[in-house]
Amino acid sequence: MSTTSLASNSAFMARYMALEQPRDKIMVTYVYIHPGNDNLAHFSGKTKVIDFVPKQASEVPLFDFALVTGDSLVEVFIRPVQLYADPFRGGDNKLVLCDLLSADMTPLACNHRYSCNEAMDAARDQHPWFGVEQEFYLMNADTNWPLGWPTNGYPEPLTAPHAFYYGAVGAGKQFGRDVMEAHLRACLYAGVNIWGETSEGQPSQWEYQVGPCEDIRLGDDLTMSRYILLRVAEDLHIDVSFDPKPVAGWMGNGAHTNFSTEAMRAPGGLPEIKKAIEKLSKNHAKHMRVYDPLGGRDNSRRLTGQYYSSKMDKFTSGEADKGVSVRIPMHVIKAGKGYFEDRRPAANCDPYLVTEAMVRTCCLNE
Ligand code: ADP
Ligand code: MN
Ligand code: MN
Ligand code: MN
Ligand code: MN
C-alpha cells in the first residue's frame, strides 16, 4: 500500500493542527508494546482525551481493552508508568508509556518491565546506569529494501563500506537525515534522555544513543525513543528495521549496552568494571538467550565475527577492541574509572530483559 499520510497531506493537516485546542481537553497517547505471533515486540498507541494536565504517569487513568494474542482476545489493562511531552501534538498533550496487566492486575507474561523493576529496586543502592546505542536501517516502505539502495541491488563500494559511510555527508551517501533530525528534536522535546546520533556503516543505517539513565528509566526512554522513531518515519512513509541482520552479508544492527555502577564511576573504579566483566563471562549463554527476542536465534545471524562483531558462542572481552563481546572504552582505561560496553544485545532486544540480566548478574550475583 503506498497511500501516504502527513508527508503528502501537510497542507491539509496544517489547517487542523492550527485549530485552537480547548484548555480543559488534553490528548494523551497511551504507548505500549505487545508480542505478535512472530514473537517480536510490536508498538501500539491509542489516544484518550482527559480533562486535566497530568504531572506524572500515576495521575493518568488506566485504560482497558481487548488485546489480540494469537487466536484469542484477552481483556487487559494498560497502566501508565512514565509520562512524556507529546512532540507530535505539542502543547500540554502527552505520550504516556504503559505496561500490560491482566484483568486481575497481575503483569502479563510479555510485561518484562515488571520483573526488571524488581531487580532495579534490589540494586538501587549501587545506582546502576545504562546507555544504549540503538542501530537500525531506514527502509523503503514499498519495496522493503534499505532506503536509497538501488532496487534489487547494493550500494557502492562493497569494499571498506564502514569507512565510506560512517558519519558521511553528501548526496548518494546519506538517506533519511530528515528522519534523524526530526527524531532527535522530538526526543529532546518529549523528555527522552537522548545522547546523540550518527550515521552508521551502510547507507540508510543509523544509530542514536539513549542514556546514561539510572535503572528502569533506560528501558522506558529507549522504548519511547523507538516509538517516536517509528512515528516520525511513518509520517514520511518510511519503515524502520531493527532486525539484527536486515540484509545478509551487510552490517547488522546491534544495541550495545553501556553499564556502570556508582563504584565503577568513582575514582579508581576500573577493578570494579573488571569484576563485573568476569561475572558476565560466567553467564554468557544465559545472557545470549535474552539479548534478542528469539532466545538467541535472531542474534546468531549477526554475531558472526564479521563487521566488528563477536562470535555468538564465545565470550570475549578487551580494552578498546571492537571484535569482542564486552569492551572497556579507551577513555575509561585512561581515566581508571567509568563504564563498560556489552556489544552483544541485538537491535531488537527488549531493554528491560537486557538491563535486568546485567543487574542480576553484575549487582545481585544471581
Ligand atoms: P561507541 O564509542 O561504542 O560508539 P557511543 O558514543 O555511541 O559509544 O555511546 C556511548 C553510550 O554510553 C551512550 O549511550 C551513553 O549514554 C553511554 N554512557 C556514557 N556514560 C555512561 C556511564 N557512566 N554508564 C553507562 N552508560 C554510559
Ligand atoms: Mn472498541
Ligand atoms: Mn556508538
Ligand atoms: Mn554503532
Ligand atoms: Mn558501541
Side-chain angles (χ1 to χ4, degrees):
M1 204 168 80
S2 67
T3 321
T4 58
S5 55
L6 298 186
S8 66
N9 287 324
S10 54
F12 167 86
M13 281 306 295
R15 182 168 157 203
Y16 300 96
M17 297 302 280
L19 292 176
E20 201 179 319
Q21 183 179 344
R23 289 251 282 283
D24 58 348
K25 296 292 179 189
I26 302 299
M27 292 176 269
V28 180
T29 299
Y30 291 64
V31 174
Y32 58 98
I33 38 177
H34 56 92
N37 292 336
D38 51 8
N39 268 329
L40 303 178
H42 295 266
F43 283 78
S44 295
K46 47 195 269 144
T47 298
K48 191 182 181 87
V49 177
I50 63 175
D51 55 13
F52 64 97
V53 182
K55 295 277 178 288
Q56 53 197 30
S58 58
E59 296 169 13
V60 181
L62 278 173
F63 210 152
D64 62 305
F65 69 105
L67 180 75
V68 183
T69 62
D71 298 331
S72 52
L73 277 180
V74 190
E75 282 294 329
V76 301
F77 283 107
I78 46 179
R79 174 177 57 177
V81 291
Q82 202 71 257
L83 192 65
Y84 298 87
D86 183 343
F88 305 105
R89 294 188 168 122
D92 283 332
N93 301 301
K94 305 293 180 196
L95 300 178
V96 71
L97 183 74
C98 302
D99 69 352
L100 289 173
L101 305 177
S102 58
D104 66 1
M105 304 303 279
T106 56
L108 286 190
C110 65
N111 181 351
H112 300 136
R113 187 185 191 276
Y114 193 85
S115 61
C116 180
N117 211 19
E118 290 180 331
M120 295 302 168
D121 275 345
R124 187 133 296 151
D125 58 334
Q126 299 180 43
H127 299 281
W129 289 8
F130 304 91
V132 167
E133 304 163 50
Q134 177 68 63
E135 295 179 341
F136 54 94
Y137 278 67
L138 294 176
M139 308 291 283
N140 182 316
D142 297 320
T143 60
N144 199 31
W145 196 240
L147 195 69
W149 289 25
T151 311
N152 299 318
Y154 301 90
E156 300 288 335
L158 282 166
T159 53
H162 190 268
F164 193 72
Y165 292 111
Y166 183 87
V169 290
K173 292 185 195 168
Q174 287 307 354
F175 306 94
R177 197 185 286 282
D178 42 1
V179 175
M180 298 308 293
E181 187 68 20
H183 176 258
L184 183 57
R185 288 168 182 270
C187 282
L188 289 171
Y189 178 90
V192 166
N193 183 17
I194 190 161
W195 153 285
E197 50 103 352
T198 180
S199 63
E200 258 298 342
Q202 319 281 227
S204 291
Q205 190 189 24
W206 294 85
E207 169 183 313
Y208 65 85
Q209 306 89 22
V210 169
C213 295
E214 188 150 339
D215 52 57
I216 198 74
R217 189 76 197 214
L218 185 278
D220 290 350
D221 276 15
L222 187 68
T223 302
M224 190 51 82
S225 77
R226 287 174 174 176
Y227 174 84
I228 291 172
L229 180 62
L230 289 164
R231 269 294 315 268
V232 167
E234 176 197 310
D235 284 351
L236 293 167
H237 192 56
I238 291 169
D239 268 344
V240 179
S241 176
F242 296 115
D243 190 281
K245 199 79 168 175
V247 185
W250 291 71
M251 279 177 70
N253 291 322
H256 298 168
T257 303
N258 300 270
F259 176 73
S260 63
T261 58
E262 193 165 46
M264 296 177 196
R265 296 186 294 271
L270 192 56
E272 287 298 320
I273 293 175
K274 292 186 171 166
K275 266 190 242 168
I277 294 175
E278 177 67 20
K279 292 179 200 171
L280 287 171
S281 75
K282 298 199 171 112
N283 292 278
H284 180 62
K286 189 163 103 187
H287 281 251
M288 291 313 298
R289 282 197 291 278
V290 293
Y291 279 8
D292 76 46
L294 304 180
R297 212 156 24 95
D298 231 6
N299 229 343
S300 65
R301 291 181 287 126
R302 162 182 166 253
L303 296 182
T304 58
Q306 200 191 9
Y307 297 132
Y308 320 98
S309 73
S310 58
K311 288 232 172 71
M312 188 71 196
D313 51 2
K314 190 162 172 276
F315 183 92
T316 52
S317 64
E319 299 175 356
D321 180 346
K322 293 205 157 193
V324 291
S325 314
V326 172
R327 172 177 80 124
I328 306 178
M330 202 63 213
H331 64 269
V332 172
I333 300 289
K334 289 229 160 80
K337 61 173 179 149
Y339 62 95
F340 66 85
E341 176 193 34
D342 190 336
R343 301 172 59 82
R344 297 170 294 171
N348 58 357
C349 67
D350 182 320
Y352 298 114
L353 288 178
V354 171
T355 57
E356 176 179 352
M358 291 178 87
V359 157
R360 289 197 187 278
T361 298
C362 300
C363 300
L364 305 177
N365 299 310
E366 288 181 10

mmCIF file with all atom_site columns, all heavy atoms in Angstrom, residues 133-135 162 166 198-201 205-209 251-252 254 256 322 341 343, ligand 4:
data_model
loop_
_atom_site.group_PDB
_atom_site.id
_atom_site.type_symbol
_atom_site.label_atom_id
_atom_site.label_alt_id
_atom_site.label_comp_id
_atom_site.label_asym_id
_atom_site.label_entity_id
_atom_site.label_seq_id
_atom_site.pdbx_PDB_ins_code
_atom_site.Cartn_x
_atom_site.Cartn_y
_atom_site.Cartn_z
_atom_site.occupancy
_atom_site.B_iso_or_equiv
_atom_site.pdbx_formal_charge
_atom_site.auth_seq_id
_atom_site.auth_comp_id
_atom_site.auth_asym_id
_atom_site.auth_atom_id
_atom_site.pdbx_PDB_model_num
ATOM   1   N  N   . GLU A 1 133 ? 23.178 2.107  22.518 1.00 0.00 ? 133 GLU A N   1
ATOM   2   C  CA  . GLU A 1 133 ? 23.414 2.595  21.152 1.00 0.00 ? 133 GLU A CA  1
ATOM   3   C  C   . GLU A 1 133 ? 22.469 1.832  20.236 1.00 0.00 ? 133 GLU A C   1
ATOM   4   O  O   . GLU A 1 133 ? 22.687 0.670  19.941 1.00 0.00 ? 133 GLU A O   1
ATOM   5   C  CB  . GLU A 1 133 ? 24.866 2.347  20.752 1.00 0.00 ? 133 GLU A CB  1
ATOM   6   C  CG  . GLU A 1 133 ? 25.875 2.972  21.715 1.00 0.00 ? 133 GLU A CG  1
ATOM   7   C  CD  . GLU A 1 133 ? 27.263 2.379  21.536 1.00 0.00 ? 133 GLU A CD  1
ATOM   8   O  OE1 . GLU A 1 133 ? 27.745 2.310  20.395 1.00 0.00 ? 133 GLU A OE1 1
ATOM   9   O  OE2 . GLU A 1 133 ? 27.869 1.970  22.542 1.00 0.00 ? 133 GLU A OE2 1
ATOM   10  N  N   . GLN A 1 134 ? 21.413 2.500  19.815 1.00 0.00 ? 134 GLN A N   1
ATOM   11  C  CA  . GLN A 1 134 ? 20.356 1.847  19.027 1.00 0.00 ? 134 GLN A CA  1
ATOM   12  C  C   . GLN A 1 134 ? 20.657 1.955  17.536 1.00 0.00 ? 134 GLN A C   1
ATOM   13  O  O   . GLN A 1 134 ? 20.608 3.036  16.969 1.00 0.00 ? 134 GLN A O   1
ATOM   14  C  CB  . GLN A 1 134 ? 19.007 2.501  19.336 1.00 0.00 ? 134 GLN A CB  1
ATOM   15  C  CG  . GLN A 1 134 ? 17.854 1.955  18.523 1.00 0.00 ? 134 GLN A CG  1
ATOM   16  C  CD  . GLN A 1 134 ? 17.507 0.515  18.885 1.00 0.00 ? 134 GLN A CD  1
ATOM   17  O  OE1 . GLN A 1 134 ? 17.111 0.244  20.003 1.00 0.00 ? 134 GLN A OE1 1
ATOM   18  N  NE2 . GLN A 1 134 ? 17.673 -0.405 17.934 1.00 0.00 ? 134 GLN A NE2 1
ATOM   19  N  N   . GLU A 1 135 ? 20.969 0.817  16.913 1.00 0.00 ? 135 GLU A N   1
ATOM   20  C  CA  . GLU A 1 135 ? 21.206 0.798  15.466 1.00 0.00 ? 135 GLU A CA  1
ATOM   21  C  C   . GLU A 1 135 ? 19.978 0.289  14.713 1.00 0.00 ? 135 GLU A C   1
ATOM   22  O  O   . GLU A 1 135 ? 19.194 -0.495 15.258 1.00 0.00 ? 135 GLU A O   1
ATOM   23  C  CB  . GLU A 1 135 ? 22.409 -0.094 15.139 1.00 0.00 ? 135 GLU A CB  1
ATOM   24  C  CG  . GLU A 1 135 ? 23.713 0.453  15.698 1.00 0.00 ? 135 GLU A CG  1
ATOM   25  C  CD  . GLU A 1 135 ? 24.910 -0.430 15.416 1.00 0.00 ? 135 GLU A CD  1
ATOM   26  O  OE1 . GLU A 1 135 ? 24.747 -1.631 15.107 1.00 0.00 ? 135 GLU A OE1 1
ATOM   27  O  OE2 . GLU A 1 135 ? 26.040 0.079  15.529 1.00 0.00 ? 135 GLU A OE2 1
ATOM   28  N  N   . HIS A 1 162 ? 32.407 0.504  5.842  1.00 0.00 ? 162 HIS A N   1
ATOM   29  C  CA  . HIS A 1 162 ? 32.275 1.248  7.085  1.00 0.00 ? 162 HIS A CA  1
ATOM   30  C  C   . HIS A 1 162 ? 32.960 2.599  6.982  1.00 0.00 ? 162 HIS A C   1
ATOM   31  O  O   . HIS A 1 162 ? 32.393 3.633  7.302  1.00 0.00 ? 162 HIS A O   1
ATOM   32  C  CB  . HIS A 1 162 ? 32.844 0.431  8.237  1.00 0.00 ? 162 HIS A CB  1
ATOM   33  C  CG  . HIS A 1 162 ? 32.541 1.013  9.577  1.00 0.00 ? 162 HIS A CG  1
ATOM   34  N  ND1 . HIS A 1 162 ? 33.384 1.887  10.202 1.00 0.00 ? 162 HIS A ND1 1
ATOM   35  C  CD2 . HIS A 1 162 ? 31.481 0.867  10.392 1.00 0.00 ? 162 HIS A CD2 1
ATOM   36  C  CE1 . HIS A 1 162 ? 32.848 2.242  11.366 1.00 0.00 ? 162 HIS A CE1 1
ATOM   37  N  NE2 . HIS A 1 162 ? 31.690 1.648  11.501 1.00 0.00 ? 162 HIS A NE2 1
ATOM   38  N  N   . TYR A 1 166 ? 30.274 5.803  7.412  1.00 0.00 ? 166 TYR A N   1
ATOM   39  C  CA  . TYR A 1 166 ? 30.114 6.205  8.808  1.00 0.00 ? 166 TYR A CA  1
ATOM   40  C  C   . TYR A 1 166 ? 30.254 7.722  8.953  1.00 0.00 ? 166 TYR A C   1
ATOM   41  O  O   . TYR A 1 166 ? 31.294 8.294  8.640  1.00 0.00 ? 166 TYR A O   1
ATOM   42  C  CB  . TYR A 1 166 ? 31.153 5.477  9.682  1.00 0.00 ? 166 TYR A CB  1
ATOM   43  C  CG  . TYR A 1 166 ? 31.023 5.764  11.148 1.00 0.00 ? 166 TYR A CG  1
ATOM   44  C  CD1 . TYR A 1 166 ? 30.175 5.010  11.962 1.00 0.00 ? 166 TYR A CD1 1
ATOM   45  C  CD2 . TYR A 1 166 ? 31.751 6.791  11.741 1.00 0.00 ? 166 TYR A CD2 1
ATOM   46  C  CE1 . TYR A 1 166 ? 30.048 5.270  13.308 1.00 0.00 ? 166 TYR A CE1 1
ATOM   47  C  CE2 . TYR A 1 166 ? 31.632 7.068  13.092 1.00 0.00 ? 166 TYR A CE2 1
ATOM   48  C  CZ  . TYR A 1 166 ? 30.780 6.312  13.865 1.00 0.00 ? 166 TYR A CZ  1
ATOM   49  O  OH  . TYR A 1 166 ? 30.663 6.575  15.208 1.00 0.00 ? 166 TYR A OH  1
ATOM   50  N  N   . THR A 1 198 ? 24.313 9.279  14.930 1.00 0.00 ? 198 THR A N   1
ATOM   51  C  CA  . THR A 1 198 ? 25.310 9.267  13.864 1.00 0.00 ? 198 THR A CA  1
ATOM   52  C  C   . THR A 1 198 ? 24.849 8.314  12.768 1.00 0.00 ? 198 THR A C   1
ATOM   53  O  O   . THR A 1 198 ? 24.108 7.363  13.042 1.00 0.00 ? 198 THR A O   1
ATOM   54  C  CB  . THR A 1 198 ? 26.689 8.802  14.397 1.00 0.00 ? 198 THR A CB  1
ATOM   55  O  OG1 . THR A 1 198 ? 27.613 8.801  13.310 1.00 0.00 ? 198 THR A OG1 1
ATOM   56  C  CG2 . THR A 1 198 ? 26.635 7.399  14.964 1.00 0.00 ? 198 THR A CG2 1
ATOM   57  N  N   . SER A 1 199 ? 25.283 8.572  11.544 1.00 0.00 ? 199 SER A N   1
ATOM   58  C  CA  . SER A 1 199 ? 25.009 7.581  10.508 1.00 0.00 ? 199 SER A CA  1
ATOM   59  C  C   . SER A 1 199 ? 25.981 6.433  10.703 1.00 0.00 ? 199 SER A C   1
ATOM   60  O  O   . SER A 1 199 ? 27.102 6.612  11.186 1.00 0.00 ? 199 SER A O   1
ATOM   61  C  CB  . SER A 1 199 ? 25.166 8.195  9.113  1.00 0.00 ? 199 SER A CB  1
ATOM   62  O  OG  . SER A 1 199 ? 26.490 8.615  8.902  1.00 0.00 ? 199 SER A OG  1
ATOM   63  N  N   . GLU A 1 200 ? 25.539 5.224  10.334 1.00 0.00 ? 200 GLU A N   1
ATOM   64  C  CA  . GLU A 1 200 ? 26.358 4.032  10.554 1.00 0.00 ? 200 GLU A CA  1
ATOM   65  C  C   . GLU A 1 200 ? 27.062 3.585  9.271  1.00 0.00 ? 200 GLU A C   1
ATOM   66  O  O   . GLU A 1 200 ? 27.090 4.314  8.294  1.00 0.00 ? 200 GLU A O   1
ATOM   67  C  CB  . GLU A 1 200 ? 25.499 2.920  11.165 1.00 0.00 ? 200 GLU A CB  1
ATOM   68  C  CG  . GLU A 1 200 ? 25.714 2.747  12.673 1.00 0.00 ? 200 GLU A CG  1
ATOM   69  C  CD  . GLU A 1 200 ? 27.153 2.346  13.023 1.00 0.00 ? 200 GLU A CD  1
ATOM   70  O  OE1 . GLU A 1 200 ? 27.887 1.873  12.141 1.00 0.00 ? 200 GLU A OE1 1
ATOM   71  O  OE2 . GLU A 1 200 ? 27.539 2.525  14.189 1.00 0.00 ? 200 GLU A OE2 1
ATOM   72  N  N   . GLY A 1 201 ? 27.578 2.385  9.308  1.00 0.00 ? 201 GLY A N   1
ATOM   73  C  CA  . GLY A 1 201 ? 28.482 1.905  8.263  1.00 0.00 ? 201 GLY A CA  1
ATOM   74  C  C   . GLY A 1 201 ? 27.898 1.665  6.887  1.00 0.00 ? 201 GLY A C   1
ATOM   75  O  O   . GLY A 1 201 ? 28.647 1.563  5.919  1.00 0.00 ? 201 GLY A O   1
ATOM   76  N  N   . GLN A 1 205 ? 21.755 3.122  7.176  1.00 0.00 ? 205 GLN A N   1
ATOM   77  C  CA  . GLN A 1 205 ? 21.902 2.565  8.527  1.00 0.00 ? 205 GLN A CA  1
ATOM   78  C  C   . GLN A 1 205 ? 22.317 3.704  9.446  1.00 0.00 ? 205 GLN A C   1
ATOM   79  O  O   . GLN A 1 205 ? 23.234 4.473  9.128  1.00 0.00 ? 205 GLN A O   1
ATOM   80  C  CB  . GLN A 1 205 ? 22.953 1.456  8.572  1.00 0.00 ? 205 GLN A CB  1
ATOM   81  C  CG  . GLN A 1 205 ? 22.938 0.708  9.915  1.00 0.00 ? 205 GLN A CG  1
ATOM   82  C  CD  . GLN A 1 205 ? 24.102 -0.254 10.083 1.00 0.00 ? 205 GLN A CD  1
ATOM   83  O  OE1 . GLN A 1 205 ? 25.152 -0.102 9.455  1.00 0.00 ? 205 GLN A OE1 1
ATOM   84  N  NE2 . GLN A 1 205 ? 23.922 -1.244 10.950 1.00 0.00 ? 205 GLN A NE2 1
ATOM   85  N  N   . TRP A 1 206 ? 21.613 3.820  10.575 1.00 0.00 ? 206 TRP A N   1
ATOM   86  C  CA  . TRP A 1 206 ? 21.842 4.913  11.508 1.00 0.00 ? 206 TRP A CA  1
ATOM   87  C  C   . TRP A 1 206 ? 21.921 4.388  12.930 1.00 0.00 ? 206 TRP A C   1
ATOM   88  O  O   . TRP A 1 206 ? 21.538 3.242  13.210 1.00 0.00 ? 206 TRP A O   1
ATOM   89  C  CB  . TRP A 1 206 ? 20.690 5.937  11.436 1.00 0.00 ? 206 TRP A CB  1
ATOM   90  C  CG  . TRP A 1 206 ? 20.594 6.676  10.144 1.00 0.00 ? 206 TRP A CG  1
ATOM   91  C  CD1 . TRP A 1 206 ? 19.955 6.262  9.001  1.00 0.00 ? 206 TRP A CD1 1
ATOM   92  C  CD2 . TRP A 1 206 ? 21.142 7.969  9.847  1.00 0.00 ? 206 TRP A CD2 1
ATOM   93  N  NE1 . TRP A 1 206 ? 20.066 7.217  8.025  1.00 0.00 ? 206 TRP A NE1 1
ATOM   94  C  CE2 . TRP A 1 206 ? 20.789 8.278  8.508  1.00 0.00 ? 206 TRP A CE2 1
ATOM   95  C  CE3 . TRP A 1 206 ? 21.881 8.901  10.574 1.00 0.00 ? 206 TRP A CE3 1
ATOM   96  C  CZ2 . TRP A 1 206 ? 21.159 9.477  7.891  1.00 0.00 ? 206 TRP A CZ2 1
ATOM   97  C  CZ3 . TRP A 1 206 ? 22.241 10.098 9.960  1.00 0.00 ? 206 TRP A CZ3 1
ATOM   98  C  CH2 . TRP A 1 206 ? 21.887 10.372 8.636  1.00 0.00 ? 206 TRP A CH2 1
ATOM   99  N  N   . GLU A 1 207 ? 22.399 5.246  13.816 1.00 0.00 ? 207 GLU A N   1
ATOM   100 C  CA  . GLU A 1 207 ? 22.436 4.917  15.249 1.00 0.00 ? 207 GLU A CA  1
ATOM   101 C  C   . GLU A 1 207 ? 22.107 6.171  16.043 1.00 0.00 ? 207 GLU A C   1
ATOM   102 O  O   . GLU A 1 207 ? 22.522 7.266  15.675 1.00 0.00 ? 207 GLU A O   1
ATOM   103 C  CB  . GLU A 1 207 ? 23.848 4.440  15.641 1.00 0.00 ? 207 GLU A CB  1
ATOM   104 C  CG  . GLU A 1 207 ? 24.050 4.329  17.160 1.00 0.00 ? 207 GLU A CG  1
ATOM   105 C  CD  . GLU A 1 207 ? 25.472 3.937  17.559 1.00 0.00 ? 207 GLU A CD  1
ATOM   106 O  OE1 . GLU A 1 207 ? 26.020 2.988  16.962 1.00 0.00 ? 207 GLU A OE1 1
ATOM   107 O  OE2 . GLU A 1 207 ? 26.028 4.590  18.468 1.00 0.00 ? 207 GLU A OE2 1
ATOM   108 N  N   . TYR A 1 208 ? 21.329 6.001  17.100 1.00 0.00 ? 208 TYR A N   1
ATOM   109 C  CA  . TYR A 1 208 ? 21.247 7.059  18.103 1.00 0.00 ? 208 TYR A CA  1
ATOM   110 C  C   . TYR A 1 208 ? 21.502 6.413  19.449 1.00 0.00 ? 208 TYR A C   1
ATOM   111 O  O   . TYR A 1 208 ? 21.403 5.192  19.595 1.00 0.00 ? 208 TYR A O   1
ATOM   112 C  CB  . TYR A 1 208 ? 19.888 7.788  18.053 1.00 0.00 ? 208 TYR A CB  1
ATOM   113 C  CG  . TYR A 1 208 ? 18.691 6.942  18.420 1.00 0.00 ? 208 TYR A CG  1
ATOM   114 C  CD1 . TYR A 1 208 ? 18.306 6.758  19.743 1.00 0.00 ? 208 TYR A CD1 1
ATOM   115 C  CD2 . TYR A 1 208 ? 17.942 6.308  17.443 1.00 0.00 ? 208 TYR A CD2 1
ATOM   116 C  CE1 . TYR A 1 208 ? 17.217 5.970  20.079 1.00 0.00 ? 208 TYR A CE1 1
ATOM   117 C  CE2 . TYR A 1 208 ? 16.851 5.520  17.758 1.00 0.00 ? 208 TYR A CE2 1
ATOM   118 C  CZ  . TYR A 1 208 ? 16.498 5.361  19.090 1.00 0.00 ? 208 TYR A CZ  1
ATOM   119 O  OH  . TYR A 1 208 ? 15.426 4.572  19.420 1.00 0.00 ? 208 TYR A OH  1
ATOM   120 N  N   . GLN A 1 209 ? 21.888 7.227  20.417 1.00 0.00 ? 209 GLN A N   1
ATOM   121 C  CA  . GLN A 1 209 ? 22.180 6.689  21.739 1.00 0.00 ? 209 GLN A CA  1
ATOM   122 C  C   . GLN A 1 209 ? 21.239 7.301  22.773 1.00 0.00 ? 209 GLN A C   1
ATOM   123 O  O   . GLN A 1 209 ? 20.895 8.475  22.684 1.00 0.00 ? 209 GLN A O   1
ATOM   124 C  CB  . GLN A 1 209 ? 23.633 6.981  22.149 1.00 0.00 ? 209 GLN A CB  1
ATOM   125 C  CG  . GLN A 1 209 ? 24.688 6.511  21.151 1.00 0.00 ? 209 GLN A CG  1
ATOM   126 C  CD  . GLN A 1 209 ? 25.005 7.561  20.098 1.00 0.00 ? 209 GLN A CD  1
ATOM   127 O  OE1 . GLN A 1 209 ? 24.786 8.744  20.302 1.00 0.00 ? 209 GLN A OE1 1
ATOM   128 N  NE2 . GLN A 1 209 ? 25.520 7.137  18.949 1.00 0.00 ? 209 GLN A NE2 1
ATOM   129 N  N   . MET A 1 251 ? 26.323 -5.040 7.119  1.00 0.00 ? 251 MET A N   1
ATOM   130 C  CA  . MET A 1 251 ? 26.422 -4.827 8.573  1.00 0.00 ? 251 MET A CA  1
ATOM   131 C  C   . MET A 1 251 ? 25.081 -5.008 9.277  1.00 0.00 ? 251 MET A C   1
ATOM   132 O  O   . MET A 1 251 ? 24.051 -4.547 8.796  1.00 0.00 ? 251 MET A O   1
ATOM   133 C  CB  . MET A 1 251 ? 26.953 -3.418 8.879  1.00 0.00 ? 251 MET A CB  1
ATOM   134 C  CG  . MET A 1 251 ? 28.462 -3.313 8.766  1.00 0.00 ? 251 MET A CG  1
ATOM   135 S  SD  . MET A 1 251 ? 29.035 -1.623 9.049  1.00 0.00 ? 251 MET A SD  1
ATOM   136 C  CE  . MET A 1 251 ? 28.702 -1.458 10.795 1.00 0.00 ? 251 MET A CE  1
ATOM   137 N  N   . GLY A 1 252 ? 25.110 -5.660 10.409 1.00 0.00 ? 252 GLY A N   1
ATOM   138 C  CA  . GLY A 1 252 ? 23.909 -5.894 11.196 1.00 0.00 ? 252 GLY A CA  1
ATOM   139 C  C   . GLY A 1 252 ? 23.648 -4.757 12.171 1.00 0.00 ? 252 GLY A C   1
ATOM   140 O  O   . GLY A 1 252 ? 24.429 -3.807 12.287 1.00 0.00 ? 252 GLY A O   1
ATOM   141 N  N   . GLY A 1 254 ? 22.971 -3.651 16.087 1.00 0.00 ? 254 GLY A N   1
ATOM   142 C  CA  . GLY A 1 254 ? 23.118 -4.012 17.489 1.00 0.00 ? 254 GLY A CA  1
ATOM   143 C  C   . GLY A 1 254 ? 22.478 -2.986 18.400 1.00 0.00 ? 254 GLY A C   1
ATOM   144 O  O   . GLY A 1 254 ? 21.948 -1.964 17.946 1.00 0.00 ? 254 GLY A O   1
ATOM   145 N  N   . HIS A 1 256 ? 24.373 -1.985 21.508 1.00 0.00 ? 256 HIS A N   1
ATOM   146 C  CA  . HIS A 1 256 ? 25.443 -2.001 22.513 1.00 0.00 ? 256 HIS A CA  1
ATOM   147 C  C   . HIS A 1 256 ? 24.907 -1.376 23.800 1.00 0.00 ? 256 HIS A C   1
ATOM   148 O  O   . HIS A 1 256 ? 24.345 -0.283 23.761 1.00 0.00 ? 256 HIS A O   1
ATOM   149 C  CB  . HIS A 1 256 ? 26.646 -1.185 22.045 1.00 0.00 ? 256 HIS A CB  1
ATOM   150 C  CG  . HIS A 1 256 ? 27.300 -1.711 20.791 1.00 0.00 ? 256 HIS A CG  1
ATOM   151 N  ND1 . HIS A 1 256 ? 28.229 -1.005 20.079 1.00 0.00 ? 256 HIS A ND1 1
ATOM   152 C  CD2 . HIS A 1 256 ? 27.131 -2.887 20.142 1.00 0.00 ? 256 HIS A CD2 1
ATOM   153 C  CE1 . HIS A 1 256 ? 28.623 -1.717 19.028 1.00 0.00 ? 256 HIS A CE1 1
ATOM   154 N  NE2 . HIS A 1 256 ? 27.961 -2.867 19.039 1.00 0.00 ? 256 HIS A NE2 1
ATOM   155 N  N   . LYS A 1 322 ? 37.045 -3.784 19.199 1.00 0.00 ? 322 LYS A N   1
ATOM   156 C  CA  . LYS A 1 322 ? 35.644 -3.814 18.761 1.00 0.00 ? 322 LYS A CA  1
ATOM   157 C  C   . LYS A 1 322 ? 35.152 -5.197 18.341 1.00 0.00 ? 322 LYS A C   1
ATOM   158 O  O   . LYS A 1 322 ? 33.977 -5.370 18.033 1.00 0.00 ? 322 LYS A O   1
ATOM   159 C  CB  . LYS A 1 322 ? 35.426 -2.808 17.630 1.00 0.00 ? 322 LYS A CB  1
ATOM   160 C  CG  . LYS A 1 322 ? 35.581 -1.367 18.121 1.00 0.00 ? 322 LYS A CG  1
ATOM   161 C  CD  . LYS A 1 322 ? 34.825 -0.383 17.259 1.00 0.00 ? 322 LYS A CD  1
ATOM   162 C  CE  . LYS A 1 322 ? 34.530 0.896  18.051 1.00 0.00 ? 322 LYS A CE  1
ATOM   163 N  NZ  . LYS A 1 322 ? 33.570 1.755  17.393 1.00 0.00 ? 322 LYS A NZ  1
ATOM   164 N  N   . GLU A 1 341 ? 31.120 -1.633 27.957 1.00 0.00 ? 341 GLU A N   1
ATOM   165 C  CA  . GLU A 1 341 ? 30.153 -1.748 26.874 1.00 0.00 ? 341 GLU A CA  1
ATOM   166 C  C   . GLU A 1 341 ? 29.910 -3.219 26.543 1.00 0.00 ? 341 GLU A C   1
ATOM   167 O  O   . GLU A 1 341 ? 30.840 -3.931 26.165 1.00 0.00 ? 341 GLU A O   1
ATOM   168 C  CB  . GLU A 1 341 ? 30.721 -1.031 25.634 1.00 0.00 ? 341 GLU A CB  1
ATOM   169 C  CG  . GLU A 1 341 ? 29.860 -1.149 24.393 1.00 0.00 ? 341 GLU A CG  1
ATOM   170 C  CD  . GLU A 1 341 ? 30.595 -0.699 23.128 1.00 0.00 ? 341 GLU A CD  1
ATOM   171 O  OE1 . GLU A 1 341 ? 31.823 -0.894 23.033 1.00 0.00 ? 341 GLU A OE1 1
ATOM   172 O  OE2 . GLU A 1 341 ? 29.927 -0.160 22.227 1.00 0.00 ? 341 GLU A OE2 1
ATOM   173 N  N   . ARG A 1 343 ? 28.551 -5.490 23.923 1.00 0.00 ? 343 ARG A N   1
ATOM   174 C  CA  . ARG A 1 343 ? 28.253 -5.323 22.492 1.00 0.00 ? 343 ARG A CA  1
ATOM   175 C  C   . ARG A 1 343 ? 27.336 -6.413 21.949 1.00 0.00 ? 343 ARG A C   1
ATOM   176 O  O   . ARG A 1 343 ? 27.044 -6.439 20.759 1.00 0.00 ? 343 ARG A O   1
ATOM   177 C  CB  . ARG A 1 343 ? 29.574 -5.304 21.703 1.00 0.00 ? 343 ARG A CB  1
ATOM   178 C  CG  . ARG A 1 343 ? 30.509 -4.179 22.145 1.00 0.00 ? 343 ARG A CG  1
ATOM   179 C  CD  . ARG A 1 343 ? 31.890 -4.277 21.517 1.00 0.00 ? 343 ARG A CD  1
ATOM   180 N  NE  . ARG A 1 343 ? 31.884 -4.251 20.066 1.00 0.00 ? 343 ARG A NE  1
ATOM   181 C  CZ  . ARG A 1 343 ? 31.813 -3.159 19.314 1.00 0.00 ? 343 ARG A CZ  1
ATOM   182 N  NH1 . ARG A 1 343 ? 31.733 -1.969 19.884 1.00 0.00 ? 343 ARG A NH1 1
ATOM   183 N  NH2 . ARG A 1 343 ? 31.814 -3.234 17.996 1.00 0.00 ? 343 ARG A NH2 1
HETATM 184 MN MN  . MN  B 2 .   ? 27.339 1.559  16.143 1.00 0.00 ? 4   MN  B MN  1
#
